[in-house]
């Protein structure tokens, strides 16, 4: 199965509680990396939905906008500040 990790969406800036720790997420690959490596918690309903949304986007089963919205919900759940800009 071929994965499309380059699908882009309007960027989300994630601001973690650690001083100066920020990530800009605008692709499925960046979202997956943030969730797996940088997320403060690996549980929660919205976290799991965001992980699934990453896989769904990579396999063509969901839109990049659905992933972006899932990241925003997961950030809210985890207490990660998220700045979302629309272009």
């Amino acid at each position: 199965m071929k994965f499309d990790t380059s699908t882009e969406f309007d960027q989300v800036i994630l601001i973690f509680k650690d001083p100066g720790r920020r990530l800009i997420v605008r692709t499925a690959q960046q979202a997956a990396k943030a969730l797996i490596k940088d997320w403060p918690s690996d549980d929660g309903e919205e976290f799991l939905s965001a992980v699934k949304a990453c896989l769904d986007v990579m396999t063509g089963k969901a839109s990049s906008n659905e992933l972006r919205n899932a990241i925003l919900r997961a950030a809210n759940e985890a207490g990660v500040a998220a700045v979302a800009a629309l272009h």
Side-chain angles (χ1 to χ4, degrees):
M1 173 179 280
K2 185 176 178 179
F3 292 103
D4 179 7
T5 61
S6 64
T7 302
E8 291 190 12
F9 49 86
D10 289 329
Q11 76 179 11
V12 175
I13 302 169
L14 301 170
I15 305 167
F16 295 88
K17 292 181 181 178
D18 299 337
R21 188 164 167 234
R22 298 175 186 202
L23 288 176
I24 296 174
V25 178
R26 59 173 79 103
T27 67
Q29 181 178 19
Q30 291 170 341
K33 182 181 175 207
L35 289 164
I36 300 302
K37 293 184 82 178
D38 299 303
W39 220 248
S41 173
D42 63 353
D43 64 355
E45 186 175 324
E46 298 298 347
F47 170 81
L48 295 173
S49 291
V51 171
K52 182 179 181 317
C54 284
L55 182 59
D56 287 348
V57 167
M58 290 180 196
T59 58
K61 296 178 183 173
S63 72
S64 58
N65 194 48
E66 290 174 275
L67 172 56
R68 184 177 186 274
N69 290 333
I71 291 290
L72 292 172
R73 288 191 309 272
N76 184 55
E77 175 183 70
V80 174
V83 178
L86 295 174
H87 292 111

